[in-house]
Amino acid sequence: RLPVPKLEDTITRYLNAQKPLLNDDQFRKTEELAHAFEKGIGRELHEQLVAQDNQNKHTSYITGPWFDMYLKAREPVVLNFNAFMSFNPDPKPEYNDQLIRATNMTVSAIRFMKTFRAGYLEPEVFHLNPEKSDTEIFKKIIRFVPSSISWFGAYMVNAYPLDMSQYFRLFNSTRLPKLNKDELYTDEKAKHLLVLRNGNFYVFDVIDRDGNMLKPSEIQANLKYILSDNSPAPAFPLGYLSSENRDTWALLRKNLLENGNAEALQKVDSAMFCLSLDDFPIKDFVHVSHTMLHGDAANRWYDKSFNLIITKDGTAGINFEHSWGDGVAVLRFQNEVFKDSTKTPAISPQSQPASVDSSRAVQKLDFKLNDALKAGITEAKQKFDATVESLSLNLIQFQEGGKELLKQKKVSPDAVAQLAFQMAFLRQYDQTVATYESCSTAAFKHGRTETIRPASVHTKKCSEAFVKELSKHSTEELQKLIVECSNYHGRLTKEAAMGQGFDRHLFSLRYLALSKGLPLPDFYQDQAYARLNHNIISTSTLVSPAVQLGGFGPVVADGFGLGYQVHDDWIGCNVSSYPTRNGKEFLQCIHKSLEDIFNVLKGKKIGS
């Protein structure tokens, strides 16, 4: 189970995170508030949280508050919450044809779903010592151990089973807009797929009456039919509604239902997933990011648990709604779909589509729109276009080294990437700001995420040495500063992964106070608390053979959304920003910081 940290540990960790962001006077005030909270109302709330947690052993203390946080948020899900991961191309070029890849990935997705629902999906396990535990013999033995104690057997060999409770929401699921708080809806009985092309909505069954998957050649025939349909794009594309403010969308949805669209919406909401087929090829990586992060809202349904997006040239990606689950569940799905569709593809470029009557199998959904709905769609489109217009996406690939060299030098690759971000922001804006790094707590029952706070007194000191006082430090001193940052970041990462961060704990105590109708404690009214939770640099990382790149929008208007990957011999960064920040310059500063850090680790003297 996810542990509730000790309150004194949480306060200490919180103050450590505040220190680099505040001057001495500000820090003294925040420290006083924190200690008063720890001795007073904070202690009472903590004891209530622990008691509540002990009564709810079937779940974790963060589950309820975290779902609420997402589902009560009223901002549009696109750009604010939904993230994307794009697939690497199929290694066999002729398989990157749009129809072939769409068919193969759809078949692989259904195979994954059927395997999961039948209870045969291999458990997700984190192997600290794969030589011992990621072996056939260990799997054979553990199969015979009763599940109530099998996790203990895994722990003995340093293998940690991860929580998979989110997986069922991958399929047949949608976030429904409701006033004040949305709902998650799942209908596992539905057998159809939703396909969007050119703003038109199509559905067809991919599972037959006996629960078997349709033949791949039939799925191919139906997709081919949709790709060759030359119906004009709708004048008022419904997709834009899913990009609206949630309350606005909730009222428009009510109107849709009352206007005779209940059956069509039911098809959308219950569909296995949404396959979005775009009619253009991809120009470059920035174009990939724009297409997968937001694309054209006419051809997306952002409320679906995920949209599988495939462009004209077979570039594929996933855009996923975030309330139901985290990156780890989507990544597992993505890895399996990539592996299955490239290693054992269902159809080949030589395959012929089945001779079925797709005009009967495929249903094009028709929506009845009154003037209020048309006006709502027009307004949603204007807002969406304006927001997208103001969004910048930029990326770099740092080619001068990666994980291998950093491990050789005995420093943490993730710590070095995060140090480079701190250094870059200091170089560009001359300040240290609230920074967020997401860390999965799936090692625990119903775990979600915890925050790593990468901005520390160590990164601040090291960044200032590199950016402002280079001439005062020898290469050895700079190396030592990097190692200090690496050690501290390693400790923070370990704490977060073990449920020993401070963010979720403080979040839950605040949630508890508000849910009991108590006045908000002074601790939470501190400007420094608000500033720490205004995450100007929001970061997330993953590396996988299936994923080309990943990204998300800034979480605050004056922030950066930074997706990054540390590969064996290169580092990729993908940054999003709005006009108040310059993402291109930020990336140049990151590149310079990485260059300096790598040179220092190699023992080279660097110039300013």
Side-chain angles (χ1 to χ4, degrees), residues 541-599:
T541 184
L542 57 94
V543 173
S544 143
V547 176
Q548 182 183 48
L549 68 159
F552 50 94
V555 297
V556 291
D558 59 341
F560 289 122
L562 182 51
Y564 64 103
Q565 298 172 300
V566 185
H567 296 272
D568 286 343
D569 51 4
W570 63 281
I571 297 171
C573 297
N574 190 7
V575 75
S576 62
S577 56
Y578 292 117
T580 49
R581 296 278 179 201
N582 184 335
K584 206 174 188 129
E585 193 182 305
F586 184 45
L587 284 177
Q588 286 162 353
C589 293
I590 290 174
H591 197 280
K592 163 94 176 109
S593 303
L594 285 169
E595 221 170 293
D596 287 352
I597 294 167
F598 273 79
N599 280 330

Side-chain angles (χ1 to χ4, degrees), residues 122 164 479 551:
E122 193 172 309
M164 294 173 76
Q479 284 175 343

Side-chain angles (χ1 to χ4, degrees), residues 319-543:
N319 176 295
F320 66 97
E321 198 280 312
H322 219 319
S323 64
W324 64 270
D326 303 302
V328 283
V330 182
L331 185 62
R332 169 70 187 271
F333 169 66
Q334 197 154 355
N335 287 341
E336 299 285 6
V337 165
F338 182 75
K339 192 169 133 190
D340 190 63
S341 64
T342 55
K343 297 255 168 45
T344 52
I347 64 160
S348 75
Q350 286 70 48
S351 305
Q352 286 305 310
S355 46
V356 288
D357 183 0
S358 293
S359 67
R360 286 186 59 188
V362 177
Q363 181 194 356
K364 183 161 171 270
L365 299 181
D366 195 26
F367 296 95
K368 301 173 188 69
L369 306 177
N370 57 25
D371 290 346
L373 287 166
K374 287 177 182 175
I377 291 171
T378 304
E379 196 179 330
K381 181 179 182 343
Q382 285 164 351
K383 285 189 213 167
F384 175 82
D385 290 346
T387 308
V388 163
E389 188 59 39
S390 70
L391 176 82
S392 298
L393 294 174
N394 294 280
L395 48 95
I396 53 159
Q397 291 180 340
F398 174 78
Q399 302 283 8
E400 291 154 54
K403 205 181 284 179
E404 279 179 1
L405 188 123
L406 295 170
K407 284 191 167 164
Q408 231 175 306
K409 300 289 178 195
K410 297 191 169 41
V411 290
S412 143
D414 190 58
V416 165
Q418 289 288 348
L419 173 60
F421 306 154
Q422 293 301 314
M423 225 177 257
F425 199 90
L426 186 74
R427 188 181 291 278
Q428 189 179 3
Y429 295 105
D430 194 26
Q431 57 183 150
T432 297
V433 292
T435 306
Y436 180 108
E437 179 183 354
S438 171
C439 175
S440 170
T441 49
F444 299 97
K445 188 182 186 77
H446 294 189
R448 293 284 313 232
T449 56
E450 181 53 272
T451 309
I452 299 167
R453 291 290 182 175
S456 66
V457 287
H458 304 281
T459 59
K460 191 175 185 175
K461 187 174 158 192
C462 184
S463 299
E464 284 176 345
F466 271 80
V467 175
K468 298 180 172 178
E469 308 158 352
L470 203 52
S471 54
K472 293 186 195 165
H473 297 276
S474 67
T475 304
E476 287 72 27
E477 285 167 354
L478 293 173
Q479 284 175 343
K480 215 169 128 196
L481 288 172
I482 295 170
V483 170
E484 271 171 31
C485 290
S486 173
N487 292 342
Y488 187 69
H489 187 78
R491 196 182 101 196
L492 289 182
T493 304
K494 207 176 207 158
E495 285 174 353
M498 296 317 289
Q500 294 293 332
F502 66 85
D503 278 87
R504 299 297 176 270
H505 186 197
L506 290 178
F507 177 85
S508 299
L509 296 176
R510 182 175 183 272
Y511 178 89
L512 188 62
L514 293 174
S515 69
K516 293 216 181 288
L518 299 170
L520 191 63
D522 294 344
F523 171 80
Y524 292 108
Q525 298 191 47
D526 182 7
Q527 268 182 313
Y529 180 84
R531 223 178 10 240
L532 181 69
N533 287 288
H534 183 86
N535 291 300
I536 290 176
I537 306 173
S538 183
T539 73
S540 188
T541 184
L542 57 94
V543 173

